[in-house]
């Protein structure tokens, strides 16, 4: 047993290292080695130059972006899992109801068979032919027709119910397979998220307090430069739309969450990821929208930047892995990444993919 545990632990470690170092995954180059002055006493020059810290910043940003994409995959799988679970519950009820219906129909068929036995086992037509009373003969014709129709209807109902039951069972089996597939997707996405976040945290943990402060300044400076370039491009020169009633309600909800921490997969009320914030804000405005930023981009109506108004959602990065809500004056409210809180930011501080409108 101990050898098995050791083997399992070794395999897990190898997989984790492979995940962090394989091409195409969220691997990051190591933090640049400190300059020779790193071992100098207090008051010596910083261990890392701004260029080194900028490289670290970009590595961390890439890791968190990849974690954001994996979070979307996790959220989508979770949403689909909930849906499939609901379908299975409905089908299970339908199967129980169908089985009860079959029991009732079989009881009715048994009653007909017992009635035929009590009448001597002769079919109704034969019994009618043996009647010597004309009145009974005419009355019997109607009874025979009614009996035939009842038997035919009973047989049809029984066959249809059995077919429905088979369909329900097949559908339940298919939905169960989808449910398990989505659970596997969730598990894989969760591993990616954890690996990428841990890698980013490891990079930051190797920095001293003053270097982390410088790193934060570099982050702000990069966001400010991107925002300034976006504004100077004239992208929002003619943006002056007013929020709709539901858009204003969504903005009010989202801005009320400012200061709450980012937690991947969270939908409130104490914490949010990026699409958890936007989906809950529009749910509060009584306009349910897809859960993930990628599904929001895929399914919601798209509009030009020049036409956007407060409440619209701005989708970021080529993989639609981030989303923020436009609040006017060139700003968004969003939940940035692990280690950060819901905040206001420049709408152009990240690479914009496009804009969608939930209430169009």
């Amino acid at each position: 047993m101990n050898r098995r545990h050791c083997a399992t632990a070794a395999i897990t470690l190898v997989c984790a290292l492979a995940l962090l170092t394989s091409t195409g995954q969220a691997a990051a180059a190591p933090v640049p080695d400190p300059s020779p002055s790193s071992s100098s006493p207090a008051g010596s020059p910083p261990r890392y130059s701004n260029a080194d810290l900028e490289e670290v910043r970009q590595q961390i940003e890439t890791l968190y972006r990849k974690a954001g994409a994996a979070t979307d995959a996790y959220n989508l799988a979770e949403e689909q899992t909930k849906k499939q679970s609901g379908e299975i519950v409905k089908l299970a009820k339908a199967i129980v109801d169908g089985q009860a219906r079959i029991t009732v129909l079989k009881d009715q068929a048994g009653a007909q068979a017992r009635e035929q036995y009590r009448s001597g086992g002769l079919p109704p037509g034969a019994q009618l032919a043996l009647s010597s009373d004309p009145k009974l003969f005419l009355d019997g014709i109607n009874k025979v027709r009614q009996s035939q129709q009842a038997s035919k209807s009973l047989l049809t109902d029984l066959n249809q119910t059995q077919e429905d039951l088979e369909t329900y069972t097949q559908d339940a089996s298919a939905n169960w397979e989808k449910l398990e597939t989505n659970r596997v997707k969730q598990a894989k996405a969760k591993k990616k998220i954890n690996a990428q976040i841990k890698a980013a945290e490891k990079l930051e943990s190797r920095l001293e307090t003053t270097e982390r402060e410088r790193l934060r300044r570099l982050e702000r400076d990069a966001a400010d430069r991107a925002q300034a370039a976006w504004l100077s491009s004239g992208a929002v020169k003619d943006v002056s739309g007013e929020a709709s009633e539901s858009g204003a309600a969504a903005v009010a909800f989202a801005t009320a969450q400012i200061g709450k921490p980012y937690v991947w997969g969270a939908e409130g009320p104490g914490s949010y990821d990026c699409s958890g914030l936007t989906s809950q804000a529009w749910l509060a405005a009584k306009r349910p929208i897809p859960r993930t930023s990628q599904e929001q981009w895929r399914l919601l109506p798209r509009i030009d930047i020049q036409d956007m108004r407060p409440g619209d959602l701005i989708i970021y990065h080529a993989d639609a892995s981030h989303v923020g809500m436009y609040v006017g004056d060139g700003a968004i409210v969003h939940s940035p990444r692990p280690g950060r809180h819901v905040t206001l930011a420049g709408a152009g501080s990240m690479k914009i993919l496009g804009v969608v409108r939930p209430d169009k």
Side-chain angles (χ1 to χ4, degrees):
M1 183 62 72
N2 288 333
R3 286 197 297 272
R4 182 182 300 172
H5 286 166
C6 290
T8 302
I11 292 170
T12 301
L13 178 59
V14 170
C15 292
L17 291 173
L19 178 65
L20 293 176
T21 58
S22 61
T23 302
Q25 295 297 322
V31 175
D33 289 334
S35 63
S37 62
S38 63
S39 58
S40 302
S44 63
R47 294 197 309 163
Y48 301 111
S49 67
N50 280 352
D52 290 337
L53 276 180
E54 175 60 21
E55 182 181 343
V56 173
R57 184 193 70 78
Q58 291 178 6
Q59 292 173 13
I60 290 173
E61 181 179 305
T62 298
L63 285 166
Y64 279 127
R65 270 192 50 211
K66 289 181 179 294
T71 297
D72 245 22
Y74 174 88
N75 289 337
L76 181 59
E78 183 179 46
E79 186 176 40
Q80 291 172 337
T81 296
K82 289 178 181 177
K83 181 179 179 182
Q84 298 306 141
S85 295
E87 289 297 320
I88 289 173
V89 170
K90 290 179 183 177
L91 289 167
K93 185 178 183 305
I95 289 171
V96 171
D97 292 344
Q99 290 172 334
R101 173 69 174 157
I102 286 177
T103 299
V104 170
L105 292 172
K106 285 182 175 179
D107 287 345
Q108 292 177 357
Q112 287 187 356
R114 288 191 294 273
E115 177 61 29
Q116 183 175 336
Y117 176 79
R118 284 194 293 269
S119 62
L122 292 175
Q127 295 178 34
L128 182 59
L130 295 175
S131 174
S132 59
D133 188 330
K135 185 175 183 305
L136 290 177
F137 181 82
L138 293 175
D139 289 342
I141 290 178
N142 290 329
K143 290 181 180 179
V144 168
R145 287 175 178 170
Q146 291 173 1
S147 176
Q148 289 174 340
Q149 289 175 352
S151 297
K152 184 178 180 181
S153 177
L154 177 62
L155 184 60
T156 300
D157 286 349
L158 184 58
N159 288 336
Q160 184 62 55
T161 302
Q162 288 176 328
E163 289 177 8
D164 290 344
L165 192 58
E166 290 176 5
T167 300
Y168 295 149
T169 303
Q170 291 171 359
D171 288 348
S173 177
N175 276 283
W176 180 259
E177 290 177 2
K178 290 179 182 178
L179 181 65
E180 290 305 304
T181 298
N182 286 330
R183 284 176 176 161
V184 170
K185 286 181 181 178
Q186 278 181 275
K188 289 182 178 178
K190 188 173 182 179
K191 287 181 180 179
K192 286 184 179 180
I193 294 165
N194 286 330
Q196 288 149 351
I197 290 176
K198 285 179 180 178
E201 289 174 342
K202 184 177 180 180
L203 282 176
E204 287 192 84
S205 70
R206 296 175 65 180
L207 302 175
E208 294 179 352
T209 302
T210 55
E211 290 163 344
R212 291 179 196 175
E213 292 173 355
R214 288 170 57 208
L215 184 66
R216 290 293 294 267
R217 285 198 298 272
L218 286 175
E219 288 179 357
R220 290 194 296 268
D221 290 346
D224 290 344
R225 286 195 302 271
Q227 175 73 354
W230 183 64
L231 292 175
S232 63
S233 71
V236 289
K237 180 180 178 181
D238 300 320
V239 175
S240 58
E242 294 185 0
S244 63
E245 183 179 350
S246 54
V251 168
F253 179 93
T255 53
Q257 313 312 309
I258 290 176
K260 294 182 178 180
Y262 177 104
V263 173
W264 65 262
E267 299 178 83
S271 57
Y272 298 88
D273 63 19
C274 67
S275 56
L277 177 65
T278 55
S279 60
Q280 288 300 304
W282 274 99
L283 182 62
K286 297 181 172 33
R287 287 290 187 116
I289 63 173
R291 168 65 177 87
T292 71
S293 58
Q294 291 175 349
E295 289 295 282
Q296 289 168 6
W297 174 244
R298 187 174 72 88
L299 298 174
L300 295 178
R302 300 177 186 181
I303 61 169
D304 293 333
I305 288 179
Q306 291 81 3
D307 298 327
M308 69 180 175
R309 65 192 186 195
D312 290 342
L313 305 182
I314 302 181
I315 310 297
Y316 293 95
H317 310 306
D319 57 0
S321 58
H322 191 71
V323 59
M325 179 179 292
Y326 186 64
V327 295
D329 297 325
I332 60 167
V333 58
H334 74 141
S335 187
R337 65 167 177 82
R340 300 292 185 263
H341 297 74
V342 176
T343 187
L344 292 174
S349 59
M350 297 168 283
K351 187 172 180 56
I352 294 175
L353 178 61
V355 182
V356 294
R357 176 166 294 165
D359 61 342
K360 183 175 180 181

